[in-house]
């Protein structure tokens, strides 16, 4: 049996008991729960990843809802414990929910929330940052300087890749993939090739259709009017076409059975010898063992990784690769985004407790994040609404807000 875990309690006499398995950024999410008569208990245990037993101890005998993290294993044991404690709501503080057995939640009638709509730009920014850092060998150069090895300018010292006029490849041109593509096209005047099951019409129009700041021009036309080479776009017929043609490739697919090890030994071999591969999506879309071998054999091939196949661990040899930039899953780690994720997760749980309807568009959540007005009386995003009962599938189309 797990030992009792350390907690911090807010509003101890609140009617509803809501547990957060980790301290989360900001205080707005706490205040929103308190203002709706919730007792908020935050686990402060000095432990990076809580075990199932730890979380069961946190849930206890009475718990109305839990806010959890993507590092936790939310399966039958936890949903059973939450249901027995009277709980009907769980929300990941994440857009992904690969750590959640949604079928188990359905069996126990527990709503599962997530936090889309708030990570797009910040995730795309990190992908762009890794692209530039890899192209210009920033991390290698930084270590060189800190190691006291710099003795003066040399013609061949850390020569990297120029991005302007090169081709950026995007695999998965959804919200994040498209935002990344726009940053690279507009910021570095790169040409675009993308692969997606669905046509990214808005992205295409950005490159060669209507360009919003200058309605008479596309971005490509704007460049041409200023005496520069216009950028182009191409929708590839296959992922391999992107891998063959692009100089920088960023991965933005969902993770499922079809995308596991999407980039493997054979597909790495298709890429250019000096290509750059970036992954801020899900770790298992890359065969990490094959990647390490490819990095060893191709020293000018570079990679920027925010996620890993067996997170938090890296496959043997990856940490030793100078042509690899590795960061600890920080794509969403901007203050505004992380505080927004905490708010959305809290409002998912609160909304189920209060019996609120579901917001009409989980990717349009600005109304929940406006600190100058109360949030709408709604659940921002519930992924299993239909499965847990018709009474919880009403879609909110008005903008009624919580009253305090």
């Amino acid at each position: 049996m797990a030992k009792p875990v350390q907690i911090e309690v807010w509003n101890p006499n609140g009617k509803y008991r809501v547990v957060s398995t980790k301290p989360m950024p900001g205080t707005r999410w706490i205040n929103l729960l308190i203002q709706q008569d919730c007792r908020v208990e935050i686990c402060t245990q000095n432990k990076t990843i809580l075990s199932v037993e730890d979380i069961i101890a946190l849930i206890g005998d009475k718990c109305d809802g839990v806010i959890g993290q993507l590092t936790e294993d939310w399966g039958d044991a936890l949903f059973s414990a939450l249901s027995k404690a009277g709980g009907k709501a769980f929300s990941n503080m994440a857009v992904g929910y690969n750590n959640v057995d949604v079928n188990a939640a359905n069996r126990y009638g527990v709503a599962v929330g997530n936090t889309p709509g708030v990570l797009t730009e910040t995730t795309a920014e990190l992908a762009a940052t890794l692209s530039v850092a890899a192209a210009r060998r920033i991390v290698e150069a930084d270590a060189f300087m800190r190691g006291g090895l710099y003795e003066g300018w040399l013609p061949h010292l850390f020569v990297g890749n120029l991005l302007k006029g090169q081709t950026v490849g995007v695999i998965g041109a959804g919200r994040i993939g498209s935002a990344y593509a726009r940053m690279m096209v507009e910021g570095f005047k790169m040409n675009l090739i993308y692969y997606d099951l669905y046509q990214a019409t808005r992205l295409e129009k950005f490159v060669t259709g209507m360009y919003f700041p200058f309605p008479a021009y596309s971005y490509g036309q704007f460049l041409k009017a200023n005496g520069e080479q216009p950028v182009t776009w191409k929708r590839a017929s296959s992922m391999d076409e992107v891998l063959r043609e692009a100089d920088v490739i960023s991965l933005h697919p969902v993770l499922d059975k079809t995308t596991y090890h999407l980039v493997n030994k054979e597909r790495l071999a298709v890429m250019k010898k000096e290509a750059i591969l970036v992954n801020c999506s899900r770790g298992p879309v890359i065969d990490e063992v094959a990647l390490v071998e490819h990095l060893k054999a191709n020293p000018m091939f570079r990679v920027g990784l925010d996620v890993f196949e067996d997170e938090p661990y890296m496959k043997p040899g990856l940490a030793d690769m100078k042509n690899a930039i590795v960061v600890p899953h920080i794509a969403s780690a901007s203050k505004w985004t992380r505080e927004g994720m905490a708010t959305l997760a809290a409002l998912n749980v609160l909304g189920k407790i209060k019996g609120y309807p579901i917001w009409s568009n989980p990717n349009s959540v600005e109304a929940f994040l406006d600190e100058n007005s109360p949030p709408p009386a709604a659940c921002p995003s519930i992924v299993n609404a239909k499965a847990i009962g018709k009474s919880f599938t009403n879609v909110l189309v008005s903008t009624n807000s919580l009253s305090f």
Side-chain angles (χ1 to χ4, degrees), residues 7 41-42 131 272 331:
I7 60 170
E41 296 186 11
I42 304 170
S131 301
K272 295 179 179 180

Side-chain angles (χ1 to χ4, degrees), residues 49-318:
I49 300 175
L50 296 181
S51 67
V52 168
E53 292 73 22
D54 291 332
I55 298 173
I56 289 174
L58 274 173
I59 291 170
D61 297 327
K62 181 187 181 302
C63 181
D64 295 284
V66 177
I67 303 167
Q69 304 298 322
L70 55 78
T71 53
E72 300 158 2
D73 182 13
W74 277 85
D76 194 272
L78 289 182
F79 286 118
S80 173
L82 182 56
S83 178
K84 288 178 183 177
K88 294 296 182 183
F90 164 79
S91 185
N92 246 10
M93 184 195 151
V95 64
Y97 47 95
N98 300 104
N99 63 308
V100 179
D101 184 342
V102 178
N103 290 329
N106 295 341
R107 288 195 296 272
Y108 292 102
V110 177
V112 174
N114 68 335
T115 62
V118 72
L119 297 93
T120 301
E121 298 298 327
T122 192
T123 302
E125 283 182 3
L126 185 75
T129 299
L130 290 173
S131 301
V132 177
R136 298 305 300 270
R137 304 176 65 180
I138 299 297
V139 174
E140 291 177 78
D142 179 84
F144 184 83
M145 283 294 295
R146 293 176 188 275
L149 301 176
Y150 182 56
E151 297 178 349
W153 184 90
L154 289 171
H156 294 290
L157 190 61
F158 294 108
V159 173
N161 298 356
L162 177 70
L163 295 178
K164 181 182 178 182
Q166 301 299 301
T167 299
V168 60
V170 174
I171 295 172
R175 290 182 305 277
I176 296 172
S178 290
Y180 166 81
R182 290 195 303 270
M183 291 175 188
M184 301 305 289
V185 169
E186 187 175 20
F188 300 99
K189 300 171 185 173
M190 299 186 76
N191 299 308
L192 169 67
I193 182 171
Y194 78 91
Y195 175 72
D196 198 288
L197 296 178
Y198 303 97
Q199 185 172 5
T201 305
R202 291 182 64 185
L203 177 58
E204 293 171 1
K205 286 183 176 180
F206 172 83
V207 181
T208 57
M210 185 181 73
Y211 179 54
F212 178 73
F214 305 94
Y217 295 105
S218 68
Y219 182 57
Q221 290 169 332
F222 170 74
L223 292 174
K224 186 175 181 179
N226 285 273
E228 297 189 64
Q229 183 71 24
V231 291
T232 62
W233 66 265
K234 177 182 178 182
R235 183 185 179 192
S237 59
S238 68
M239 192 181 102
D240 287 353
E241 186 178 357
V242 176
L243 297 178
R244 282 194 303 269
E245 296 186 16
D247 301 287
V248 181
I249 297 103
S250 190
L251 304 175
H252 300 280
V254 297
L255 175 62
D256 57 25
K257 292 179 181 178
T258 68
T259 59
Y260 176 80
H261 282 189
L262 190 68
V263 177
N264 53 23
K265 179 180 179 180
E266 291 73 24
R267 282 185 161 145
L268 287 165
V270 168
M271 298 176 66
K272 295 179 179 180
K273 296 296 184 183
E274 295 188 4
I276 293 166
L277 178 64
V278 173
N279 188 18
C280 290
S281 60
R282 294 289 183 268
V285 303
I286 296 180
D287 180 344
E288 214 166 282
V289 171
L291 177 64
V292 171
E293 293 307 309
H294 192 76
L295 289 166
K296 289 178 181 177
N298 299 277
M300 293 309 294
F301 182 94
R302 302 185 195 102
V303 67
L305 301 176
D306 179 54
V307 288
F308 306 90
E309 188 171 350
D310 296 320
E311 203 163 310
Y313 307 107
M314 293 186 288
K315 293 296 186 183
L318 181 58

Side-chain angles (χ1 to χ4, degrees), residues 320-331:
D320 300 323
M321 295 294 99
K322 292 183 179 180
N323 47 344
I325 299 174
V326 290
V327 295
H329 205 145
I330 57 170

